[in-house]
Amino acid sequence: MKKALITGITGQDGSYLAEFLLGKGYQVVGMVRRTSTTNFDRIRHVEDQLILTQGDLLDQVSLMDIMKEHQPDEIYNLAAQSFVPTSWKQPVLTGEFTALGVTRMLEAMRMVAPEARFYQASSSEMFGRVREVPQNENTPFYPRSPYGVAKVYGHWITVNYRESYDLFACSGILFNHESPRRGLEFVTRKVSHGAARVKLGLAEELRMGNLEAQRDWGFAGDYVRAMWLMLQQDEPDDFVVATGKPHSVRRLLEVAFGLLDLDYKDYVRVDQRFIRPTDVDQLVGDATKAREKLGWEPNVTFEELMQMMVEADLASGKTSR
């Protein structure tokens, strides 16, 4: 039985990856931070099948102890301060978790479990002010937020450890991926949740930022499959994971409200508080390499994704009334 260690297991991606690996027959170890109110909601349905252990990306010794105790075959580093607007308010903490945390993970692996295979969660936010459209593995990075900058560091330190210490270390450059498990602070969930509240009469408006921003949105459940595929290859490499189809926030609103027979223009208000100091340009990924080398394709369309999210929020809103 293979054993996988997942940091960030209580997050959206961690929960889907845990489900996926359990389905493959893995023993799954999840690293969780010690907090007074740990949120296990996303993994509650599989919690009894997991081994949960306390550790922290800020604490090198805890990472080494976990790897020494469990000796994982695969390590998926999904933990990070992952919300872009928060990175402007807490840039140093974002750097500690999202950048230096990767180094601590790789150093622990190098010292304790060098035969393991390592996956680093890189991000399309690294492209930022894009140099070309669409973006692939060779597109230069130009991050536009402290989060994006931290992810660039995490990406290159993974490449550096791979080349310097001959570790099997991969980075997945994942474009935006969403689900009903997405946090309410992220724009897709903010929209699906907001539209459901309007439909249920629980809200009269939804305040948004830049409606013209474009993103390449896919389903998180599809994207964790790509993570696993990267660690099954003969040689470690980096891959863009994306749908290749960009949509604007305005289109997101049209689809989400339209699913509820509503016109978003009647309820959405642009609020300057939600405009970023600098925003990224047209992020759209070219996943040709993942398709050709990994055999990976997204299964869920943008419209299907939004239907899934809106229906989940509508059902949740009805039960909480």
Side-chain angles (χ1 to χ4, degrees), residues 66-226:
I66 288 171
M67 292 187 197
K68 190 177 299 182
E69 177 182 356
H70 296 285
Q71 288 295 317
D73 300 292
E74 298 173 4
I75 300 167
Y76 296 86
N77 185 40
L78 309 185
Q81 190 303 100
S82 61
F83 188 44
V84 174
T86 296
S87 76
W88 290 105
K89 297 181 183 297
Q90 298 180 320
V92 176
L93 186 65
T94 298
E96 286 286 354
F97 277 113
T98 308
L100 292 178
V102 186
T103 310
R104 296 186 189 102
M105 285 292 296
L106 287 163
E107 188 66 4
M109 173 183 164
R110 181 180 75 85
M111 297 177 71
V112 177
E115 299 305 312
R117 297 188 168 203
F118 182 86
Y119 172 85
Q120 165 59 17
S122 288
S123 168
S124 61
E125 290 284 333
M126 301 188 305
F127 295 120
R129 190 173 181 179
V130 299
R131 306 288 86 187
E132 61 186 9
V133 179
Q135 296 90 48
N136 60 34
E137 293 81 5
N138 298 315
T139 302
F141 300 137
Y142 196 141
R144 298 274 279 171
S145 68
Y147 170 77
V149 172
K151 278 295 186 182
V152 169
Y153 177 97
H155 180 87
W156 282 117
I157 200 67
T158 301
V159 173
N160 188 261
Y161 267 67
R162 177 171 73 215
E163 296 178 351
S164 300
Y165 299 116
D166 196 30
L167 299 179
F168 195 107
C170 303
S171 281
I173 307 174
L174 271 58
F175 280 65
N176 294 66
H177 45 290
E178 320 297 320
S179 76
R181 300 179 194 173
R182 195 58 143 150
L184 286 170
E185 68 272 25
F186 291 89
V187 66
T188 47
R189 183 73 195 292
K190 180 179 179 178
V191 168
S192 65
H193 184 257
R197 283 178 56 81
V198 168
K199 183 67 174 181
L200 293 170
L202 300 174
E204 296 180 353
E205 65 177 16
L206 177 62
R207 293 188 171 270
M208 300 291 296
N210 179 12
L211 303 190
E212 306 313 319
Q214 294 198 19
R215 296 291 187 275
D216 182 334
W217 281 300
F219 173 50
D222 285 340
Y223 285 38
V224 299
R225 179 164 38 90

Side-chain angles (χ1 to χ4, degrees), residues 191-192 194-196 198-199 249-268 302-303 306-307 310-311 314:
V191 168
S192 65
V198 168
K199 183 67 174 181
V249 175
R250 189 179 299 279
R251 175 60 181 159
L252 173 67
L253 289 162
E254 287 176 353
V255 172
F257 277 81
L259 287 165
L260 299 172
D261 296 319
L262 300 173
D263 185 342
Y264 81 93
K265 296 173 188 173
D266 295 334
Y267 307 99
V268 172
F302 173 71
E303 290 76 16
M306 289 316 303
Q307 183 170 358
V310 167
E311 288 179 351
L314 193 63

